[in-house]
Amino acid sequence: MEEMEEELKCPVCGSFYREPIILPCSHNLCQACARNILVQTPESESPQSRRASGSGVSDYDYLDLDKMSLYSEADSGYGSYGGFASAPTTPCQKSPNGVRVFPPAMPPPATHLSPALAPVPRNSCITCPQCHRSLILDDRGLRGFPKNRVLEGVIDRYQQSKAAALKCQLCEKAPKEATVMCEQCDVFYCDPCRLRCHPPRGPLAKHRLVPPAQGRVSRRLSPRKVSTCTDHELENHSMYCVQCKMPVCYQCLEEGKHSSHEVKALGAMWKLHKSQLSQALNGLSDRAKEAKEFLVQLRNMVQQIQENSVEFEACLVAQCDALIDALNRRKAQLLARVNKEHEHKLKVVRDQISHCTVKLRQTTGLMEYCLEVIKENDPSGFLQISDALIRRVHLTEDQWGKGTLTPRMTTDFDLSLDNSPLLQSIHQLDFVQVKASSPVPATPILQLEECCTHNNSATLSWKQPPLSTVPADGYILELDDGNGGQFREVYVGKETMCTVDGLHFNSTYNARVKAFNKTGVSPYSKTLVLQTSEDTDSEEQTLPFPVPSERLPLRRMSPFSSTLNLQPSFPGRSYFDFRSSPHQLSLHSSLQSLNAPGCNFETQSAPYSQLGKYTYLAWFAFDPGSAHSDIILSNDNLTVTCSSYDDRVVLGKTGFSKGVHYWELTVDRYDNHPDPAFGVARMDVMKDVMLGKDDKAWAITEGGIAKGATIGVLLDLNRKNLTFFINDEQQGPIAFDNVEGLFFPAVSLNRNVQVTLHTGLPVPDFYSSRASIA
């Protein structure tokens, strides 16, 4: 029965209910606690003032919601609680069990009457501390609420059933053993609480204090109080009103508000409601039984999880230790090879030292002997041996000149350890799902007839095998970095076609795809080798998988195509030798060659010639990632201005290394004669100075630039020159020549200028015709 104790405690004082009353919301309160949380309302909120004014709603909304009275027959007696934020005289407090309560606006007058008989302040309001519904009391005050005699009886039986010593009812934390009981207050006290809460002076001096055991006996022997009618205090309840769902007396039926209501015998309704409560408890008991069994199951799961965790950790440690042991063994083998190389190098050098030492000793001896011969004064004797000595000296000198003084061994070790595959495998070391409830999807098949590369973009298409019966929840497309590096995910979703933009030009990429569902992932498909665009000089282009012209704007028009971004981490590097394997497929298309460090929107190329029926245009925007922090971009990164009075540089997203490219910029704002510059630059150009101030940019400034002007930039990397146009008029023959490398469209401006970029434009006609003639 200990679980029931919280049901028997008042939400205000936290102790067992004493003379509990039932609020209209069906919650209970001690009668004394109910009086303590009364709040006096303004005069206009009283039932009398509302009845006199003829309005059911007060103009002074003290409780923020409608107030209802016990006088009305249709009145429910309570409304939603809206808080007392507007009443500074009634601050919110907390009861011992954490429920919000509101003390009275003024202390109750000293009286010797019981809480039920003591008068309450005029126009009082009470708020339930549990559901926060409020109501205004009528003239009867707290006497208008029925007494909960059943709850009193349950509390008495519960206290009598407790075999332990009686505890103090006023201790806040750990209740101490009670030493006395006040018969008038009906409260058990320990000595500290008695001195603090029940001092022997004033009105409390007349109260009778008895030992706890005697107080328990007096409680047990006290006769059970009979429930009386709240409207007629001298009448006992004898009938039950079906409409109001409350016990009533005979006088209520004759002259009260229940005279026209349907009533039934109190005993019959008592038995009926007991039966209904018993039936409801049977269902609740079944739920409680299931909850207990479920808790047992959860506790068993906790134990099983702990055991499985220990076992799995031990297995994981053993597997990692095995890998470490294998690595240590391989380490010892590699160290042995290094030591062998070390010994070999030392042996070669030491042998050369020994040989050179012997040779040097012989040479030194010959030199000393020749010096002594030169000292002889006998000409005939000298001439007899001089020829032989001269030959020996020349022969010895020749021997020193035949690489003898060159080391036979270098100090560097000609060994290089390639640990990248092992490190990659370690980084990819992960758990696999071995307890699959259903099979994983089949390996997807790449549809070569649908795959194509265009400019620096690649479109890939795949499908499930025709006989596959396991559905796939989605697919994962992976590409390497175009430099033989690690694969990385570029698309995860349900679509079976994807266009990847922003790849490096003239580069080879490896692509693969796998399917997944709730069980796991399928094996990878065959690796597809993709070659991005190369050159546009040749009039005939080889397209193993041609793309029709109506499919060129696939990323814009196709509802099932997904355009994603692959941001390379190595700008400007896009060339390497690819080694194919027997499991790899080859896809190669020779289109116009560009070289982009990274694009995140649609990018196509624009040669000045047409390849049969295929026409290509270049689309790009400004790059916010590489721009100066003062640059302000808008209009999908096509319009640019600046927040600073100093010149700041912004680059385009696409870089060019081959081909012919043309774009235009229109001047939207041009104030106070600024000095914008337009042209091309390398990736590492200075971003905080005017374009062209360093050796990393080529630009045009001034020269007829004004508001509304259109500046055209023509970059011909085939002829390695740069030409500018203003309002369709070419500015000189050629602005710059010998332009080689990787270049990005560039603009420098300050806050007095705003320009808009226009891409996807064809090369001017006169230049195209001139180029074709050349």
Side-chain angles (χ1 to χ4, degrees):
M1 296 177 64
E2 293 182 358
E3 291 84 356
M4 183 181 63
E5 186 169 327
E6 290 300 323
E7 294 285 338
L8 309 180
K9 290 185 177 180
C10 175
V12 177
C13 64
S15 303
F16 289 108
Y17 287 103
R18 296 185 297 276
E19 297 184 7
I21 60 175
I22 306 175
L23 299 180
C25 57
S26 301
H27 293 125
N28 301 283
L29 283 178
C30 296
Q31 197 168 49
C33 296
R35 183 179 182 82
N36 289 337
I37 64 174
L38 289 177
V39 176
Q40 188 171 3
T41 62
E43 185 67 24
S44 59
E45 293 293 333
S46 65
Q48 294 84 354
S49 62
R50 290 194 301 169
R51 186 179 295 112
S53 63
S55 174
V57 180
S58 171
D59 295 335
Y60 181 73
D61 193 6
Y62 183 73
L63 296 179
D64 296 334
L65 292 170
D66 293 340
K67 316 302 186 302
M68 300 186 180
S69 172
L70 294 174
Y71 283 97
S72 174
E73 180 178 337
D75 190 3
S76 63
Y78 60 91
S80 298
Y81 168 73
F84 292 88
S86 60
T89 59
T90 59
C92 177
Q93 298 178 350
K94 283 190 177 181
S95 65
N97 60 352
V99 178
R100 294 187 303 173
V101 298
F102 297 88
M106 61 184 69
T111 177
H112 300 291
L113 299 176
S114 65
L117 300 178
V120 298
R122 181 179 177 84
N123 304 331
S124 297
C125 172
I126 187 171
T127 300
C128 176
Q130 290 183 285
C131 65
H132 308 302
R133 295 173 180 259
S134 60
L135 59 94
I136 300 174
L137 275 64
D138 55 19
D139 293 336
R140 295 174 298 172
L142 297 178
R143 296 193 307 274
F145 298 111
K147 308 293 190 300
N148 196 338
R149 304 300 182 190
V150 175
L151 180 57
E152 282 186 310
V154 173
I155 293 175
D156 289 342
R157 290 195 300 271
Y158 177 76
Q159 291 180 334
Q160 293 170 11
S161 66
K162 295 184 66 175
L166 291 173
K167 301 294 183 179
C168 175
Q169 293 177 294
L170 298 182
C171 290
E172 294 183 357
K173 295 183 179 179
K176 299 180 181 179
E177 186 174 350
T179 56
V180 295
M181 173 193 172
C182 177
E183 289 186 340
Q184 284 72 26
C185 299
D186 195 20
V187 176
F188 291 91
Y189 298 94
C190 63
D191 288 336
C193 292
R194 178 179 59 82
L195 295 176
R196 185 177 67 253
C197 303
H198 201 286
R201 59 181 179 271
L204 298 178
K206 299 180 181 180
H207 289 197
R208 182 186 177 194
L209 301 178
V210 296
Q214 183 180 347
R216 172 184 285 181
V217 172
S218 63
R219 276 188 173 183
R220 188 179 307 170
L221 296 179
S222 60
R224 178 67 53 85
K225 299 177 182 179
V226 181
S227 177
T228 59
C229 180
T230 57
D231 295 329
H232 311 93
E233 297 181 356
L234 298 179
E235 297 291 337
N236 296 332
H237 290 145
S238 58
M239 302 296 288
Y240 181 82
C241 178
V242 178
Q243 182 174 346
C244 299
K245 297 182 179 180
M246 60 181 298
V248 296
C249 65
Y250 281 106
Q251 194 170 352
C252 290
L253 299 178
E254 294 178 358
E255 59 187 29
K257 61 183 179 180
H258 305 279
S259 57
S260 61
H261 295 176
E262 179 186 359
V263 294
K264 291 187 178 181
L266 191 65
M269 295 303 297
W270 173 52
K271 293 181 180 179
L272 176 62
H273 281 212
K274 272 195 172 183
S275 175
Q276 292 177 353
L277 181 59
S278 298
Q279 293 178 0
L281 284 176
N282 289 334
L284 185 61
S285 176
D286 294 339
R287 300 287 83 78
K289 183 179 179 181
E290 293 176 1
K292 290 182 180 179
E293 295 175 352
F294 181 65
L295 286 175
V296 173
Q297 179 183 356
L298 291 180
R299 293 189 180 98
N300 293 336
M301 288 181 62
V302 170
Q303 181 67 23
Q304 189 66 33
I305 289 174
Q306 292 177 345
E307 295 176 358
N308 292 343
S309 175
V310 173
E311 179 182 355
F312 191 79
E313 288 179 3
C315 180
L316 176 63
V317 171
Q319 290 178 323
C320 293
D321 289 343
L323 293 177
I324 295 174
D325 292 341
L327 184 61
N328 287 332
R329 289 194 298 271
R330 188 58 179 170
K331 173 185 174 182
Q333 295 173 359
L334 295 176
L335 287 176
R337 289 183 58 185
V338 173
N339 292 332
K340 182 178 180 181
E341 182 72 12
H342 168 254
E343 295 297 332
H344 173 68
K345 286 180 176 292
L346 289 180
K347 182 178 183 302
V348 172
V349 174
R350 286 170 179 168
D351 290 344
Q352 190 173 12
I353 291 174
S354 176
H355 179 269
C356 187
T357 301
V358 172
K359 191 67 176 177
L360 180 61
R361 186 183 306 113
Q362 294 174 352
T363 302
T364 304
L366 178 59
M367 291 172 59
E368 293 178 353
Y369 173 68
C370 290
L371 289 176
E372 292 299 325
V373 169
I374 291 174
K375 294 179 182 180
E376 291 295 329
N377 295 326
D378 183 6
S380 59
F382 178 81
L383 291 175
Q384 288 178 349
I385 63 174
S386 60
D387 290 335
L389 287 178
I390 291 173
R391 286 194 301 271
R392 285 186 60 190
V393 169
H394 286 302
L395 179 62
T396 303
E397 182 181 1
D398 292 339
Q399 291 177 351
W400 282 111
K402 295 180 180 179
T404 309
L405 299 179
T406 302
R408 299 176 184 174
M409 184 62 64
T410 62
T411 58
D412 296 331
F413 282 76
D414 299 330
L415 299 174
S416 179
L417 181 63
D418 182 14
N419 61 347
S420 56
L422 180 59
L423 289 176
Q424 181 175 349
S425 299
I426 292 176
H427 291 316
Q428 293 178 347
L429 185 64
D430 201 352
F431 299 105
V432 294
Q433 187 173 358
V434 295
K435 298 180 180 179
S437 57
S438 59
V440 298
T443 303
I445 299 175
L446 288 167
Q447 302 186 84
L448 299 184
E449 66 277 5
E450 297 290 337
C451 298
C452 61
T453 59
H454 173 231
N455 197 12
N456 66 333
S457 302
T459 299
L460 296 102
S461 178
W462 58 89
K463 65 179 180 179
Q464 283 290 98
L467 301 180
S468 175
T469 59
V470 180
D473 294 340
Y475 302 91
I476 301 175
L477 176 63
E478 296 183 359
L479 261 71
D480 64 1
D481 58 4
N483 201 23
Q486 182 178 354
F487 279 91
R488 50 187 171 181
E489 296 180 0
V490 297
Y491 171 72
V492 178
K494 297 182 179 181
E495 307 297 342
T496 58
M497 178 176 284
C498 176
T499 298
V500 183
D501 292 328
L503 303 177
H504 280 305
F505 293 87
N506 196 22
S507 299
T508 305
Y509 288 88
N510 298 321
R512 62 186 184 184
V513 66
K514 60 182 177 180
F516 67 88
N517 59 12
K518 295 181 179 179
T519 302
V521 297
S522 71
Y524 285 104
S525 65
K526 293 183 178 181
T527 302
L528 183 66
V529 181
L530 303 166
Q531 176 69 41
T532 53
S533 303
E534 289 183 352
D535 200 353
T536 60
D537 292 338
S538 175
E539 295 183 358
E540 296 182 359
Q541 299 293 332
T542 301
L543 295 173
F545 305 101
V547 184
S549 57
E550 60 269 15
R551 284 199 54 194
L552 287 179
L554 173 66
R555 58 182 62 85
R556 291 177 178 267
M557 299 176 56
S558 176
F560 52 84
S561 174
S562 300
T563 302
L564 298 180
N565 308 322
L566 178 63
Q567 297 291 342
S569 57
F570 45 96
R573 297 177 54 218
S574 57
Y575 304 90
F576 77 105
D577 294 331
F578 177 74
R579 293 173 293 177
S580 61
S581 68
H583 301 289
Q584 291 173 326
L585 309 174
S586 179
L587 175 65
H588 179 87
S589 68
S590 298
L591 302 176
Q592 179 190 9
S593 175
L594 303 177
N595 194 347
C599 297
N600 61 0
F601 79 113
E602 292 80 11
T603 303
Q604 299 175 343
S605 63
Y608 58 82
S609 60
Q610 294 185 351
L611 309 178
K613 63 177 180 178
Y614 306 108
T615 303
Y616 307 99
L617 300 175
W619 302 87
F620 58 91
F622 290 117
D623 183 15
S626 62
H628 193 276
S629 58
D630 293 337
I631 290 294
I632 302 174
L633 296 171
S634 60
N635 188 25
D636 293 333
N637 297 334
L638 293 175
T639 301
V640 60
T641 185
C642 180
S643 62
S644 172
Y645 285 105
D646 297 324
D647 291 309
R648 299 293 185 249
V649 174
V650 59
L651 302 180
K653 274 184 174 286
T654 302
F656 305 112
S657 61
K658 294 181 181 179
V660 182
H661 314 281
Y662 180 75
W663 62 93
E664 291 181 349
L665 302 106
T666 57
V667 180
D668 303 329
R669 191 178 73 252
Y670 191 87
D671 302 330
N672 301 326
H673 302 287
D675 204 13
F678 309 89
V680 296
R682 300 195 186 277
M683 174 60 76
D684 55 348
V685 65
M686 296 176 63
K687 305 296 195 311
D688 54 355
V689 297
M690 179 185 292
L691 198 66
K693 291 293 185 180
D694 58 2
D695 58 350
K696 303 297 178 61
W698 294 258
I700 181 176
T701 61
E702 295 297 340
I705 298 176
K707 181 179 180 181
T710 300
I711 296 89
V713 182
L714 178 62
L715 178 63
D716 188 348
L717 293 171
N718 295 333
R719 292 177 172 78
K720 302 177 183 180
N721 56 49
L722 180 64
T723 307
F724 296 102
F725 301 82
I726 297 180
N727 298 329
D728 296 330
E729 294 185 5
Q730 183 173 344
Q731 302 299 299
I734 293 177
F736 301 97
D737 55 7
N738 297 323
V739 179
E740 291 185 85
L742 177 64
F743 298 95
F744 293 83
V747 175
S748 69
L749 43 70
N750 58 23
R751 65 182 304 168
N752 293 321
V753 184
Q754 176 177 303
V755 300
T756 298
L757 176 65
H758 303 278
T759 61
L761 303 177
V763 176
D765 295 336
F766 77 91
Y767 192 86
S768 300
S769 59
R770 186 176 65 186
S772 60
I773 295 175

